[in-house]
Amino acid sequence: IMKKLLYLRDHQLKEYIEKIFNGYRETVADAKNVLDKHSLGTAHNKVIHLISLYEGITITTLLRKLKVTKQSLNRVLNDLMEIKAIEYKRDEIDTRVKHVYLTEQGNKIFEEIFAAQKKRIYDAFLSSESSDVISFDKVLNKIINEKL
């Protein structure tokens, strides 16, 4: 298999990129009904997901992880504040730093979105060998330049 990978052609790489696009599209589509119900979009979904994953995440860390402008993030955070999905708490040591948390309402929205998305991922993992899941995780981390 490695010999085959060493000689990947552009066409094969394009097919992998298409699969990444399609996987993302389908995973986002799974959550669309929930997002629509709350008048939210994919940007809101990403922010809610990160806040749920990193409870108390700072604005600076959100900006770094999302790679968006302050203006774009503020628009999304303001929308989420408006529907009472998030709350801010100032850092106890450095009061200039704000931490973001999901409220009870925010957690409900996240759980609805996650329930819609996790079935596809869970089913794919469940029907795969454990070594395939580990390899998939390693490859994804390399694609997104994260440390293994």
Side-chain angles (χ1 to χ4, degrees):
I1 289 181
M2 282 312 289
K3 277 189 176 181
K4 183 179 176 187
L5 291 179
L6 292 175
Y7 300 103
L8 281 174
R9 304 270 185 236
D10 282 355
H11 181 73
Q12 291 167 300
L13 292 171
K14 288 176 186 176
E15 287 175 346
Y16 281 116
I17 291 169
E18 180 186 11
K19 287 176 184 177
I20 291 168
F21 287 154
N22 291 340
Y24 176 77
R25 180 195 66 215
E26 295 305 314
T27 304
V28 169
D30 290 339
K32 186 162 177 16
N33 289 339
V34 176
L35 293 168
D36 286 350
K37 181 170 82 171
H38 297 282
S39 300
L40 302 174
T42 55
H44 301 91
N45 184 10
K46 291 174 187 176
V47 170
I48 289 171
H49 181 82
L50 286 174
I51 297 170
S52 77
L53 197 56
Y54 305 102
E55 190 176 341
I57 191 169
T58 64
I59 302 295
T60 303
T61 304
L62 270 174
L63 285 166
R64 193 178 70 248
K65 286 188 171 291
L66 293 166
K67 296 183 179 179
V68 296
T69 64
K70 282 183 183 178
Q71 185 178 356
S72 295
L73 179 59
N74 278 333
R75 182 189 57 80
V76 171
L77 292 173
N78 287 337
D79 291 347
L80 294 173
M81 279 295 289
E82 216 171 275
I83 63 168
K84 297 175 178 34
I86 60 167
E87 63 185 357
Y88 299 106
K89 293 182 183 169
R90 295 239 174 244
D91 192 90
E92 292 177 13
I93 297 165
D94 186 348
T95 56
R96 295 171 299 176
V97 176
K98 285 199 286 189
H99 297 272
V100 190
Y101 297 86
L102 291 178
T103 61
E104 188 177 329
Q105 171 69 6
N107 273 309
K108 282 181 188 172
I109 294 169
F110 170 74
E111 288 302 327
E112 283 182 69
I113 293 167
F114 184 57
Q117 291 180 319
K118 76 178 177 181
K119 183 178 180 348
R120 176 181 306 278
I121 305 296
Y122 183 77
D123 288 349
F125 283 163
L126 198 59
S127 65
S128 302
E129 298 292 325
S130 60
S131 60
D132 293 340
V133 174
I134 292 166
S135 296
F136 175 72
D137 184 57
K138 287 180 180 176
V139 171
L140 277 179
N141 282 330
K142 288 176 183 176
I143 289 171
I144 58 176
N145 299 319
E146 297 243 340
K147 290 181 180 151
L148 302 174

